[in-house]
Amino acid sequence: MIKYLDLQAINKPYEHAADEVLRSGWYLKGDYTRRFEEAYAQYIGTRHCIGCGNGLDALTLILRAYKEMGVMQEGDEVIVPANTYIASILAITENRLKPVLVEPSIDTLQIDDSLIEQAITPRTRAIMIVHLYGRCAYTDRIGDICRQHHLKLIEDNAQAHGCHFVPSVQSVAMPSQQTRTGALGDAAGHSFYPTKNLGALGDAGAITTDDEELAAVVRALGNYGSSEKYVFDYQGRNSRIDEIQAAILLAKLPHLDADNQRRKEIAARYEREVINDHVRILLSPRDSVYHIFPVLCPHRDELREYLADNGVQTEIHYPIPPHQQRCYANGAQNLLSELSELSELPITERIHREELSIPCHPALTDDEAARVVALINSFRPGKQYI
């Protein structure tokens, strides 16, 4: 069996980190958390990193902090890609803000920057880009739009730890030639769910930002609303990274770039060797760390069954797009944008209908990758295999 993701193999070298925390007797808000926050901020390239409970909390806390700071208020709009995991949108609606869904490009699977400006209204306060599948979603044009319209740029970096944006030669938007995702906007939310490129042993997340005020408010909000013991400036929540997760992440962080490089080697092989008119490989025009390697196939379910019958595990990311989920049926709470309420999102719906994720992880061997390639190349819809 070729596993879609072999977490046992990936995590085995780091088992000692959890043992160290158990022996320490200190399990929350300790030295491992402080060290990881400092190391991850340095890695991403921001002044601040605040650990929290998970990736959804990270995005939710950013938006809540902006409301507490007076940057946003209930009913304001946040532009977000229609093709995303639902957490991106849940964070917006939980804050009583309105998500405005913008279609992706079928060539990149990321938000189509040519459609963003027409979605801006007087109530627009931010653009949330999502580095979905580990692909960099940022473009020079998105940066220009945010500056011209005085919008906050929020990154959902849950799937792209270690990814870079390399600006065009003409761009003056970025101060350096290579900036990591998570440091491109005003703030970024990160998830360290176990399956992520930088994965913990349970739920964990973080916020990165250069904004000192935002960092202070986010940290307080995630600690019951308190920045001083038993003094509560906000009606906060309990959303903190624990010491075991911080220790695991701290141990894994120095190996992240090498793990991402292995993913890139496997992905390059798929892009080079998969040749099947029924399966579309989408090349990334910008950097990718291949958290997910998506292919599009009109016969997706048949392809998935064929691969499973031949011992290859796959996943679907994601079978139902957010605007078709029951929780947002009939414009629930009047928070979904008119775009999703009144019209279809054909590109998003096509992606969710055809997308199949094939194995692409550091523990995958060359022989296993070759087997995946051979099977995809031999797939023919409607054929009876013996």
Side-chain angles (χ1 to χ4, degrees), residues 62-109:
I62 290 169
L63 294 170
R64 171 71 187 284
Y66 278 135
K67 290 178 68 179
E68 295 289 351
M69 294 163 61
V71 175
M72 301 179 188
Q73 60 183 357
E74 185 173 317
D76 283 343
E77 297 173 353
V78 178
I79 291 173
V80 64
N83 179 40
T84 184
Y85 183 58
I86 199 168
S88 312
I89 296 171
L90 288 173
I92 298 170
T93 56
E94 184 174 331
N95 279 287
R96 305 294 298 176
L97 301 168
K98 186 175 181 179
V100 177
L101 309 186
V102 172
E103 282 269 66
S105 163
I106 193 61
D107 296 320
T108 67
L109 307 183

mmCIF file of all heavy atoms in Angstrom, residues 62-109:
data_model
loop_
_atom_site.group_PDB
_atom_site.id
_atom_site.type_symbol
_atom_site.label_atom_id
_atom_site.label_comp_id
_atom_site.label_asym_id
_atom_site.label_seq_id
_atom_site.Cartn_x
_atom_site.Cartn_y
_atom_site.Cartn_z
ATOM 1 N N ILE A 62 -7.019 37.158 14.346
ATOM 2 C CA ILE A 62 -6.560 38.318 13.572
ATOM 3 C C ILE A 62 -7.727 39.261 13.295
ATOM 4 O O ILE A 62 -7.648 40.478 13.544
ATOM 5 C CB ILE A 62 -5.914 37.861 12.248
ATOM 6 C CG1 ILE A 62 -4.586 37.162 12.502
ATOM 7 C CG2 ILE A 62 -5.696 39.058 11.316
ATOM 8 C CD1 ILE A 62 -4.023 36.456 11.274
ATOM 9 N N LEU A 63 -8.821 38.724 12.798
ATOM 10 C CA LEU A 63 -9.973 39.555 12.462
ATOM 11 C C LEU A 63 -10.608 40.159 13.713
ATOM 12 O O LEU A 63 -11.020 41.327 13.708
ATOM 13 C CB LEU A 63 -10.992 38.725 11.682
ATOM 14 C CG LEU A 63 -10.524 38.265 10.293
ATOM 15 C CD1 LEU A 63 -11.496 37.248 9.705
ATOM 16 C CD2 LEU A 63 -10.374 39.455 9.351
ATOM 17 N N ARG A 64 -10.677 39.375 14.773
ATOM 18 C CA ARG A 64 -11.226 39.903 16.036
ATOM 19 C C ARG A 64 -10.351 41.045 16.545
ATOM 20 O O ARG A 64 -10.865 42.070 17.032
ATOM 21 C CB ARG A 64 -11.298 38.774 17.058
ATOM 22 C CG ARG A 64 -11.642 39.210 18.468
ATOM 23 C CD ARG A 64 -13.088 39.655 18.646
ATOM 24 N NE ARG A 64 -13.279 40.208 19.986
ATOM 25 C CZ ARG A 64 -13.368 39.475 21.091
ATOM 26 N NH1 ARG A 64 -13.310 38.140 21.041
ATOM 27 N NH2 ARG A 64 -13.552 40.060 22.267
ATOM 28 N N ALA A 65 -9.043 40.912 16.442
ATOM 29 C CA ALA A 65 -8.138 41.970 16.889
ATOM 30 C C ALA A 65 -8.349 43.246 16.083
ATOM 31 O O ALA A 65 -8.359 44.357 16.640
ATOM 32 C CB ALA A 65 -6.691 41.506 16.791
ATOM 33 N N TYR A 66 -8.526 43.096 14.776
ATOM 34 C CA TYR A 66 -8.781 44.284 13.950
ATOM 35 C C TYR A 66 -10.085 44.975 14.363
ATOM 36 O O TYR A 66 -10.189 46.206 14.318
ATOM 37 C CB TYR A 66 -8.817 43.904 12.479
ATOM 38 C CG TYR A 66 -7.449 43.801 11.844
ATOM 39 C CD1 TYR A 66 -7.121 42.734 11.010
ATOM 40 C CD2 TYR A 66 -6.478 44.781 12.061
ATOM 41 C CE1 TYR A 66 -5.867 42.644 10.415
ATOM 42 C CE2 TYR A 66 -5.221 44.699 11.479
ATOM 43 C CZ TYR A 66 -4.918 43.626 10.660
ATOM 44 O OH TYR A 66 -3.670 43.546 10.077
ATOM 45 N N LYS A 67 -11.081 44.195 14.773
ATOM 46 C CA LYS A 67 -12.310 44.806 15.259
ATOM 47 C C LYS A 67 -12.063 45.544 16.579
ATOM 48 O O LYS A 67 -12.549 46.664 16.764
ATOM 49 C CB LYS A 67 -13.398 43.736 15.443
ATOM 50 C CG LYS A 67 -13.931 43.166 14.125
ATOM 51 C CD LYS A 67 -14.966 42.082 14.356
ATOM 52 C CE LYS A 67 -16.240 42.637 14.953
ATOM 53 N NZ LYS A 67 -17.252 41.558 15.143
ATOM 54 N N GLU A 68 -11.317 44.940 17.475
ATOM 55 C CA GLU A 68 -11.012 45.589 18.749
ATOM 56 C C GLU A 68 -10.191 46.865 18.542
ATOM 57 O O GLU A 68 -10.322 47.830 19.302
ATOM 58 C CB GLU A 68 -10.241 44.632 19.672
ATOM 59 C CG GLU A 68 -11.009 43.403 20.112
ATOM 60 C CD GLU A 68 -12.120 43.722 21.106
ATOM 61 O OE1 GLU A 68 -12.196 44.884 21.590
ATOM 62 O OE2 GLU A 68 -12.919 42.811 21.413
ATOM 63 N N MET A 69 -9.365 46.881 17.495
ATOM 64 C CA MET A 69 -8.529 48.042 17.197
ATOM 65 C C MET A 69 -9.279 49.120 16.416
ATOM 66 O O MET A 69 -8.732 50.195 16.145
ATOM 67 C CB MET A 69 -7.297 47.589 16.406
ATOM 68 C CG MET A 69 -6.350 46.698 17.200
ATOM 69 S SD MET A 69 -5.186 45.768 16.130
ATOM 70 C CE MET A 69 -4.301 47.116 15.314
ATOM 71 N N GLY A 70 -10.530 48.837 16.027
ATOM 72 C CA GLY A 70 -11.314 49.813 15.288
ATOM 73 C C GLY A 70 -11.057 49.827 13.800
ATOM 74 O O GLY A 70 -11.575 50.695 13.078
ATOM 75 N N VAL A 71 -10.283 48.844 13.303
ATOM 76 C CA VAL A 71 -9.992 48.766 11.868
ATOM 77 C C VAL A 71 -11.188 48.218 11.112
ATOM 78 O O VAL A 71 -11.438 48.598 9.960
ATOM 79 C CB VAL A 71 -8.744 47.890 11.631
ATOM 80 C CG1 VAL A 71 -8.480 47.693 10.142
ATOM 81 C CG2 VAL A 71 -7.527 48.501 12.312
ATOM 82 N N MET A 72 -11.945 47.328 11.743
ATOM 83 C CA MET A 72 -13.124 46.723 11.136
ATOM 84 C C MET A 72 -14.269 46.776 12.117
ATOM 85 O O MET A 72 -14.062 46.891 13.340
ATOM 86 C CB MET A 72 -12.849 45.259 10.749
ATOM 87 C CG MET A 72 -11.723 45.056 9.771
ATOM 88 S SD MET A 72 -11.458 43.294 9.418
ATOM 89 C CE MET A 72 -9.936 43.385 8.455
ATOM 90 N N GLN A 73 -15.477 46.679 11.576
ATOM 91 C CA GLN A 73 -16.663 46.566 12.410
ATOM 92 C C GLN A 73 -17.641 45.595 11.774
ATOM 93 O O GLN A 73 -17.520 45.253 10.595
ATOM 94 C CB GLN A 73 -17.311 47.920 12.623
ATOM 95 C CG GLN A 73 -17.765 48.614 11.369
ATOM 96 C CD GLN A 73 -18.334 50.001 11.645
ATOM 97 O OE1 GLN A 73 -18.430 50.426 12.788
ATOM 98 N NE2 GLN A 73 -18.700 50.713 10.591
ATOM 99 N N GLU A 74 -18.614 45.146 12.571
ATOM 100 C CA GLU A 74 -19.567 44.159 12.096
ATOM 101 C C GLU A 74 -20.210 44.603 10.789
ATOM 102 O O GLU A 74 -20.619 45.753 10.645
ATOM 103 C CB GLU A 74 -20.644 43.934 13.166
ATOM 104 C CG GLU A 74 -21.620 42.834 12.835
ATOM 105 C CD GLU A 74 -22.556 42.516 13.987
ATOM 106 O OE1 GLU A 74 -22.071 42.449 15.140
ATOM 107 O OE2 GLU A 74 -23.762 42.355 13.714
ATOM 108 N N GLY A 75 -20.264 43.673 9.831
ATOM 109 C CA GLY A 75 -20.851 43.969 8.535
ATOM 110 C C GLY A 75 -19.850 44.362 7.470
ATOM 111 O O GLY A 75 -20.199 44.412 6.284
ATOM 112 N N ASP A 76 -18.616 44.658 7.865
ATOM 113 C CA ASP A 76 -17.583 44.958 6.880
ATOM 114 C C ASP A 76 -17.277 43.717 6.055
ATOM 115 O O ASP A 76 -17.539 42.588 6.469
ATOM 116 C CB ASP A 76 -16.311 45.464 7.565
ATOM 117 C CG ASP A 76 -16.430 46.917 8.015
ATOM 118 O OD1 ASP A 76 -17.335 47.620 7.527
ATOM 119 O OD2 ASP A 76 -15.610 47.347 8.851
ATOM 120 N N GLU A 77 -16.673 43.937 4.890
ATOM 121 C CA GLU A 77 -16.453 42.860 3.934
ATOM 122 C C GLU A 77 -14.979 42.465 3.844
ATOM 123 O O GLU A 77 -14.091 43.321 3.927
ATOM 124 C CB GLU A 77 -16.946 43.286 2.550
ATOM 125 C CG GLU A 77 -18.445 43.548 2.514
ATOM 126 C CD GLU A 77 -18.921 44.120 1.199
ATOM 127 O OE1 GLU A 77 -18.078 44.440 0.328
ATOM 128 O OE2 GLU A 77 -20.154 44.268 1.034
ATOM 129 N N VAL A 78 -14.773 41.174 3.657
ATOM 130 C CA VAL A 78 -13.437 40.622 3.452
ATOM 131 C C VAL A 78 -13.478 39.793 2.174
ATOM 132 O O VAL A 78 -14.257 38.830 2.075
ATOM 133 C CB VAL A 78 -12.983 39.741 4.642
ATOM 134 C CG1 VAL A 78 -11.606 39.137 4.366
ATOM 135 C CG2 VAL A 78 -12.976 40.541 5.938
ATOM 136 N N ILE A 79 -12.670 40.149 1.210
ATOM 137 C CA ILE A 79 -12.586 39.385 -0.033
ATOM 138 C C ILE A 79 -11.765 38.127 0.217
ATOM 139 O O ILE A 79 -10.690 38.178 0.832
ATOM 140 C CB ILE A 79 -11.964 40.248 -1.147
ATOM 141 C CG1 ILE A 79 -12.926 41.370 -1.537
ATOM 142 C CG2 ILE A 79 -11.609 39.395 -2.366
ATOM 143 C CD1 ILE A 79 -12.342 42.375 -2.504
ATOM 144 N N VAL A 80 -12.268 36.991 -0.250
ATOM 145 C CA VAL A 80 -11.634 35.702 0.024
ATOM 146 C C VAL A 80 -11.857 34.798 -1.197
ATOM 147 O O VAL A 80 -12.869 34.913 -1.879
ATOM 148 C CB VAL A 80 -12.230 35.073 1.309
ATOM 149 C CG1 VAL A 80 -13.704 34.756 1.134
ATOM 150 C CG2 VAL A 80 -11.468 33.844 1.759
ATOM 151 N N PRO A 81 -10.910 33.917 -1.508
ATOM 152 C CA PRO A 81 -11.131 33.015 -2.647
ATOM 153 C C PRO A 81 -12.290 32.060 -2.390
ATOM 154 O O PRO A 81 -12.453 31.561 -1.272
ATOM 155 C CB PRO A 81 -9.806 32.263 -2.777
ATOM 156 C CG PRO A 81 -9.144 32.403 -1.448
ATOM 157 C CD PRO A 81 -9.572 33.724 -0.904
ATOM 158 N N ALA A 82 -13.069 31.812 -3.422
ATOM 159 C CA ALA A 82 -14.161 30.855 -3.297
ATOM 160 C C ALA A 82 -13.635 29.436 -3.178
ATOM 161 O O ALA A 82 -14.263 28.577 -2.553
ATOM 162 C CB ALA A 82 -15.095 30.974 -4.505
ATOM 163 N N ASN A 83 -12.481 29.174 -3.782
ATOM 164 C CA ASN A 83 -11.858 27.849 -3.708
ATOM 165 C C ASN A 83 -10.911 27.825 -2.520
ATOM 166 O O ASN A 83 -9.754 28.222 -2.607
ATOM 167 C CB ASN A 83 -11.075 27.562 -4.991
ATOM 168 C CG ASN A 83 -10.381 26.211 -4.944
ATOM 169 O OD1 ASN A 83 -10.942 25.235 -4.447
ATOM 170 N ND2 ASN A 83 -9.153 26.150 -5.448
ATOM 171 N N THR A 84 -11.418 27.387 -1.384
ATOM 172 C CA THR A 84 -10.609 27.326 -0.172
ATOM 173 C C THR A 84 -11.227 26.321 0.781
ATOM 174 O O THR A 84 -12.351 25.869 0.588
ATOM 175 C CB THR A 84 -10.516 28.708 0.508
ATOM 176 O OG1 THR A 84 -9.629 28.622 1.643
ATOM 177 C CG2 THR A 84 -11.877 29.187 0.994
ATOM 178 N N TYR A 85 -10.461 25.963 1.811
ATOM 179 C CA TYR A 85 -11.036 25.182 2.903
ATOM 180 C C TYR A 85 -11.941 26.098 3.711
ATOM 181 O O TYR A 85 -11.692 27.301 3.849
ATOM 182 C CB TYR A 85 -9.923 24.598 3.783
ATOM 183 C CG TYR A 85 -10.443 23.718 4.894
ATOM 184 C CD1 TYR A 85 -11.217 22.605 4.613
ATOM 185 C CD2 TYR A 85 -10.170 24.014 6.224
ATOM 186 C CE1 TYR A 85 -11.709 21.799 5.624
ATOM 187 C CE2 TYR A 85 -10.646 23.209 7.245
ATOM 188 C CZ TYR A 85 -11.413 22.104 6.944
ATOM 189 O OH TYR A 85 -11.911 21.309 7.943
ATOM 190 N N ILE A 86 -12.981 25.562 4.282
ATOM 191 C CA ILE A 86 -14.027 26.369 4.894
ATOM 192 C C ILE A 86 -13.525 27.213 6.068
ATOM 193 O O ILE A 86 -14.142 28.229 6.423
ATOM 194 C CB ILE A 86 -15.215 25.486 5.321
ATOM 195 C CG1 ILE A 86 -16.466 26.345 5.515
ATOM 196 C CG2 ILE A 86 -14.848 24.662 6.562
ATOM 197 C CD1 ILE A 86 -17.737 25.547 5.662
ATOM 198 N N ALA A 87 -12.402 26.841 6.679
ATOM 199 C CA ALA A 87 -11.897 27.608 7.819
ATOM 200 C C ALA A 87 -11.659 29.072 7.462
ATOM 201 O O ALA A 87 -11.880 29.964 8.285
ATOM 202 C CB ALA A 87 -10.609 26.981 8.350
ATOM 203 N N SER A 88 -11.202 29.330 6.235
ATOM 204 C CA SER A 88 -10.960 30.711 5.821
ATOM 205 C C SER A 88 -12.232 31.539 5.954
ATOM 206 O O SER A 88 -12.201 32.687 6.415
ATOM 207 C CB SER A 88 -10.482 30.764 4.364
ATOM 208 O OG SER A 88 -9.448 29.843 4.111
ATOM 209 N N ILE A 89 -13.357 30.954 5.579
ATOM 210 C CA ILE A 89 -14.630 31.663 5.590
ATOM 211 C C ILE A 89 -15.258 31.652 6.978
ATOM 212 O O ILE A 89 -15.862 32.639 7.413
ATOM 213 C CB ILE A 89 -15.561 31.050 4.530
ATOM 214 C CG1 ILE A 89 -14.941 31.279 3.145
ATOM 215 C CG2 ILE A 89 -16.966 31.648 4.598
ATOM 216 C CD1 ILE A 89 -15.620 30.549 2.017
ATOM 217 N N LEU A 90 -15.111 30.564 7.716
ATOM 218 C CA LEU A 90 -15.630 30.506 9.080
ATOM 219 C C LEU A 90 -15.043 31.611 9.952
ATOM 220 O O LEU A 90 -15.741 32.192 10.788
ATOM 221 C CB LEU A 90 -15.326 29.146 9.712
ATOM 222 C CG LEU A 90 -16.109 27.940 9.202
ATOM 223 C CD1 LEU A 90 -15.563 26.657 9.809
ATOM 224 C CD2 LEU A 90 -17.594 28.085 9.505
ATOM 225 N N ALA A 91 -13.759 31.902 9.770
ATOM 226 C CA ALA A 91 -13.122 32.951 10.570
ATOM 227 C C ALA A 91 -13.765 34.306 10.307
ATOM 228 O O ALA A 91 -13.890 35.142 11.217
ATOM 229 C CB ALA A 91 -11.625 33.011 10.259
ATOM 230 N N ILE A 92 -14.183 34.528 9.075
ATOM 231 C CA ILE A 92 -14.809 35.796 8.707
ATOM 232 C C ILE A 92 -16.214 35.889 9.292
ATOM 233 O O ILE A 92 -16.577 36.864 9.956
ATOM 234 C CB ILE A 92 -14.834 35.943 7.179
ATOM 235 C CG1 ILE A 92 -13.407 35.958 6.618
ATOM 236 C CG2 ILE A 92 -15.578 37.216 6.768
ATOM 237 C CD1 ILE A 92 -13.320 35.862 5.091
ATOM 238 N N THR A 93 -17.029 34.858 9.079
ATOM 239 C CA THR A 93 -18.414 34.918 9.544
ATOM 240 C C THR A 93 -18.506 34.854 11.064
ATOM 241 O O THR A 93 -19.423 35.431 11.657
ATOM 242 C CB THR A 93 -19.247 33.782 8.930
ATOM 243 O OG1 THR A 93 -18.663 32.514 9.228
ATOM 244 C CG2 THR A 93 -19.325 33.941 7.416
ATOM 245 N N GLU A 94 -17.559 34.179 11.725
ATOM 246 C CA GLU A 94 -17.585 34.151 13.192
ATOM 247 C C GLU A 94 -17.426 35.548 13.769
ATOM 248 O O GLU A 94 -17.930 35.851 14.854
ATOM 249 C CB GLU A 94 -16.484 33.231 13.729
ATOM 250 C CG GLU A 94 -16.512 33.090 15.243
ATOM 251 C CD GLU A 94 -15.524 32.061 15.768
ATOM 252 O OE1 GLU A 94 -15.222 31.105 15.041
ATOM 253 O OE2 GLU A 94 -15.066 32.222 16.912
ATOM 254 N N ASN A 95 -16.744 36.409 13.055
ATOM 255 C CA ASN A 95 -16.555 37.787 13.496
ATOM 256 C C ASN A 95 -17.649 38.728 12.985
ATOM 257 O O ASN A 95 -17.503 39.955 13.090
ATOM 258 C CB ASN A 95 -15.188 38.286 13.039
ATOM 259 C CG ASN A 95 -14.065 37.839 13.952
ATOM 260 O OD1 ASN A 95 -13.921 38.349 15.063
ATOM 261 N ND2 ASN A 95 -13.266 36.874 13.502
ATOM 262 N N ARG A 96 -18.729 38.147 12.455
ATOM 263 C CA ARG A 96 -19.846 38.926 11.930
ATOM 264 C C ARG A 96 -19.396 39.863 10.831
ATOM 265 O O ARG A 96 -19.915 40.971 10.659
ATOM 266 C CB ARG A 96 -20.540 39.707 13.047
ATOM 267 C CG ARG A 96 -21.011 38.840 14.219
ATOM 268 C CD ARG A 96 -22.095 37.883 13.842
ATOM 269 N NE ARG A 96 -23.309 38.564 13.378
ATOM 270 C CZ ARG A 96 -24.389 37.923 12.919
ATOM 271 N NH1 ARG A 96 -24.389 36.594 12.842
ATOM 272 N NH2 ARG A 96 -25.453 38.591 12.510
ATOM 273 N N LEU A 97 -18.415 39.413 10.055
ATOM 274 C CA LEU A 97 -17.978 40.102 8.860
ATOM 275 C C LEU A 97 -18.537 39.351 7.655
ATOM 276 O O LEU A 97 -18.987 38.205 7.777
ATOM 277 C CB LEU A 97 -16.454 40.158 8.802
ATOM 278 C CG LEU A 97 -15.776 40.865 9.977
ATOM 279 C CD1 LEU A 97 -14.269 40.599 9.969
ATOM 280 C CD2 LEU A 97 -16.051 42.358 9.958
ATOM 281 N N LYS A 98 -18.487 39.959 6.491
ATOM 282 C CA LYS A 98 -19.116 39.381 5.314
ATOM 283 C C LYS A 98 -18.067 38.914 4.319
ATOM 284 O O LYS A 98 -17.304 39.718 3.793
ATOM 285 C CB LYS A 98 -20.030 40.413 4.654
ATOM 286 C CG LYS A 98 -20.860 39.874 3.498
ATOM 287 C CD LYS A 98 -21.821 40.948 2.997
ATOM 288 C CE LYS A 98 -22.682 40.412 1.860
ATOM 289 N NZ LYS A 98 -23.640 41.429 1.369
ATOM 290 N N PRO A 99 -17.990 37.613 4.036
ATOM 291 C CA PRO A 99 -17.054 37.123 3.026
ATOM 292 C C PRO A 99 -17.568 37.408 1.620
ATOM 293 O O PRO A 99 -18.720 37.120 1.304
ATOM 294 C CB PRO A 99 -16.973 35.617 3.301
ATOM 295 C CG PRO A 99 -18.283 35.283 3.924
ATOM 296 C CD PRO A 99 -18.749 36.510 4.657
ATOM 297 N N VAL A 100 -16.717 37.960 0.796
ATOM 298 C CA VAL A 100 -17.043 38.192 -0.604
ATOM 299 C C VAL A 100 -16.195 37.213 -1.412
ATOM 300 O O VAL A 100 -14.969 37.332 -1.463
ATOM 301 C CB VAL A 100 -16.755 39.643 -1.014
ATOM 302 C CG1 VAL A 100 -17.029 39.851 -2.503
ATOM 303 C CG2 VAL A 100 -17.603 40.608 -0.179
ATOM 304 N N LEU A 101 -16.836 36.231 -2.015
ATOM 305 C CA LEU A 101 -16.131 35.132 -2.650
ATOM 306 C C LEU A 101 -15.733 35.493 -4.077
ATOM 307 O O LEU A 101 -16.582 35.896 -4.874
ATOM 308 C CB LEU A 101 -17.002 33.879 -2.665
ATOM 309 C CG LEU A 101 -17.628 33.454 -1.325
ATOM 310 C CD1 LEU A 101 -18.343 32.117 -1.482
ATOM 311 C CD2 LEU A 101 -16.584 33.380 -0.229
ATOM 312 N N VAL A 102 -14.457 35.329 -4.380
ATOM 313 C CA VAL A 102 -13.931 35.613 -5.711
ATOM 314 C C VAL A 102 -13.396 34.314 -6.311
ATOM 315 O O VAL A 102 -12.685 33.556 -5.656
ATOM 316 C CB VAL A 102 -12.822 36.680 -5.653
ATOM 317 C CG1 VAL A 102 -12.131 36.832 -7.001
ATOM 318 C CG2 VAL A 102 -13.411 38.021 -5.213
ATOM 319 N N GLU A 103 -13.750 34.082 -7.553
ATOM 320 C CA GLU A 103 -13.362 32.856 -8.244
ATOM 321 C C GLU A 103 -11.844 32.736 -8.392
ATOM 322 O O GLU A 103 -11.127 33.741 -8.504
ATOM 323 C CB GLU A 103 -13.988 32.829 -9.637
ATOM 324 C CG GLU A 103 -15.458 32.449 -9.654
ATOM 325 C CD GLU A 103 -15.668 30.963 -9.825
ATOM 326 O OE1 GLU A 103 -15.288 30.198 -8.919
ATOM 327 O OE2 GLU A 103 -16.229 30.577 -10.868
ATOM 328 N N PRO A 104 -11.356 31.490 -8.440
ATOM 329 C CA PRO A 104 -9.935 31.257 -8.730
ATOM 330 C C PRO A 104 -9.687 31.206 -10.236
ATOM 331 O O PRO A 104 -10.630 31.159 -11.038
ATOM 332 C CB PRO A 104 -9.690 29.882 -8.112
ATOM 333 C CG PRO A 104 -11.003 29.170 -8.320
ATOM 334 C CD PRO A 104 -12.074 30.229 -8.157
ATOM 335 N N SER A 105 -8.426 31.192 -10.599
ATOM 336 C CA SER A 105 -8.027 30.885 -11.966
ATOM 337 C C SER A 105 -7.918 29.364 -12.100
ATOM 338 O O SER A 105 -7.339 28.707 -11.234
ATOM 339 C CB SER A 105 -6.677 31.533 -12.291
ATOM 340 O OG SER A 105 -6.097 30.946 -13.449
ATOM 341 N N ILE A 106 -8.443 28.820 -13.174
ATOM 342 C CA ILE A 106 -8.364 27.375 -13.375
ATOM 343 C C ILE A 106 -6.929 26.940 -13.635
ATOM 344 O O ILE A 106 -6.574 25.764 -13.460
ATOM 345 C CB ILE A 106 -9.285 26.931 -14.529
ATOM 346 C CG1 ILE A 106 -9.453 25.406 -14.531
ATOM 347 C CG2 ILE A 106 -8.779 27.455 -15.867
ATOM 348 C CD1 ILE A 106 -10.082 24.840 -13.297
ATOM 349 N N ASP A 107 -6.069 27.872 -14.033
ATOM 350 C CA ASP A 107 -4.676 27.533 -14.327
ATOM 351 C C ASP A 107 -3.797 27.492 -13.083
ATOM 352 O O ASP A 107 -2.790 26.792 -13.062
ATOM 353 C CB ASP A 107 -4.094 28.531 -15.333
ATOM 354 C CG ASP A 107 -4.794 28.461 -16.683
ATOM 355 O OD1 ASP A 107 -5.098 27.339 -17.125
ATOM 356 O OD2 ASP A 107 -5.038 29.527 -17.276
ATOM 357 N N THR A 108 -4.169 28.253 -12.044
ATOM 358 C CA THR A 108 -3.342 28.305 -10.831
ATOM 359 C C THR A 108 -4.050 27.712 -9.620
ATOM 360 O O THR A 108 -3.407 27.370 -8.631
ATOM 361 C CB THR A 108 -2.953 29.752 -10.502
ATOM 362 O OG1 THR A 108 -4.136 30.485 -10.121
ATOM 363 C CG2 THR A 108 -2.271 30.427 -11.677
ATOM 364 N N LEU A 109 -5.388 27.629 -9.676
ATOM 365 C CA LEU A 109 -6.233 27.206 -8.553
ATOM 366 C C LEU A 109 -6.246 28.223 -7.420
ATOM 367 O O LEU A 109 -6.824 27.969 -6.367
ATOM 368 C CB LEU A 109 -5.828 25.825 -8.024
ATOM 369 C CG LEU A 109 -5.744 24.699 -9.047
ATOM 370 C CD1 LEU A 109 -5.401 23.373 -8.362
ATOM 371 C CD2 LEU A 109 -7.042 24.565 -9.842
#
